[in-house]
Amino acid sequence: MDNDQTSPWRDTPARSERIISAISRISSVLRTGAWQFATAEGLNPTQLDVLEILHGRREGVRLSWMAQQLGVTTATASDSVASLSSKGLLEKVKAADDGRAVALKLTPAGHELAQRLTTAMQFASVAVEGLPESAQSELFSALLALIGQLQRAERFPEIRACVSCKYFAAGVHADPAAPHHCRLVDAALPKALLRLDCPEHIAADEQVVNRNWLDI
């Protein structure tokens, strides 16, 4: 940005601030769409977030982990879980890794409702798909890099991303379109197919994860 005090653009906010403002405005539009759906279904925003998180985790999760993902207290998360359970959308089962612990899972009705939310939010996917392929690729790469920065600053909750998985090998292939490798399936991994939430994810060592975020 031109720093000349006589420039007509001198009051333009820093680019980083404009990027965050753009992300915030997009988030607001998405949140409004989700809240409209939640209101129609008699849910509050936190309950809707619980549905979204559990929809992709059919093995179930612990309450404490759920609270961390939501950025709320365990008590608040527990209230939302109790309400969803009373509506027949969520159930408590024995955790797969510890029969003494409790895991939270969606019922079939809960999964059906979460899928309808996905359908209701298709307007956002349609908007992204309206961008040129190159723009979609650049946008996705930039957002991944930003998530990596936030994760290293401990400002982003745990996710099951390719980049943080022990099966992920960054930049081992010469092909610029598919430079990475997934050891789980033993195949080159294109940038366009990097996942933010993979059910086969197993967390890698922190040092490896930090290096991977820099190498994508």
Side-chain angles (χ1 to χ4, degrees):
M1 186 180 70
D2 190 349
N3 291 321
D4 185 348
Q5 292 302 304
T6 65
S7 169
W9 317 115
R10 63 183 178 277
D11 294 328
T12 302
R15 181 168 54 186
S16 60
E17 294 178 17
R18 284 177 281 143
I19 289 172
I20 296 304
S21 177
I23 293 173
S24 178
R25 288 171 182 263
I26 293 170
S27 176
S28 179
V29 170
L30 297 177
R31 180 61 67 179
T32 297
W35 285 359
Q36 289 173 345
F37 179 87
T39 299
E41 296 294 338
L43 304 175
N44 65 37
T46 301
Q47 292 165 2
L48 197 66
D49 288 341
V50 172
L51 282 178
E52 287 189 275
I53 290 172
L54 290 180
H55 188 46
R57 290 170 171 77
R58 294 179 180 270
E59 73 279 7
V61 304
R62 307 287 179 85
L63 178 63
S64 58
W65 183 90
M66 174 66 72
Q68 180 187 39
Q69 293 291 305
L70 296 172
V72 301
T73 65
T74 301
T76 298
S78 181
D79 289 342
S80 294
V81 165
S83 179
L84 291 171
S85 179
S86 69
K87 296 175 185 293
L89 301 172
L90 181 151
E91 61 182 342
K92 297 179 180 179
V93 299
K94 291 183 178 180
D97 60 342
D98 185 350
R100 299 167 297 177
V102 173
L104 309 174
K105 297 179 66 174
L106 292 186
T107 63
H111 281 295
E112 190 274 333
L113 182 58
Q115 185 58 50
R116 284 200 283 120
L117 169 62
T118 299
T119 301
M121 299 299 290
Q122 279 296 307
F123 71 89
S125 296
V126 170
V128 173
E129 290 166 0
L131 297 174
E133 184 65 32
S134 59
Q136 292 185 48
S137 179
E138 291 172 6
L139 178 59
F140 186 53
S141 294
L143 290 173
L144 279 177
L146 179 57
I147 289 173
Q149 293 279 37
L150 292 170
Q151 282 222 314
R152 289 195 295 279
E154 299 183 353
R155 290 285 185 172
F156 202 94
E158 175 190 345
I159 55 176
R160 299 185 297 186
C162 290
V163 181
S164 62
C165 181
K166 78 170 191 176
Y167 296 120
F168 179 76
V172 297
H173 297 295
D175 184 354
H180 312 307
H181 194 87
C182 176
R183 299 189 187 98
L184 179 63
V185 296
D186 193 22
L189 178 58
K191 288 183 178 180
L193 295 182
L194 287 173
R195 295 185 181 185
L196 289 177
D197 189 18
C198 177
E200 281 80 33
H201 179 276
I202 297 179
D205 292 339
E206 183 177 355
Q207 289 184 339
V208 174
V209 173
N210 289 337
R211 186 168 63 248
N212 285 344
W213 280 116
L214 294 173
D215 292 340
I216 60 169

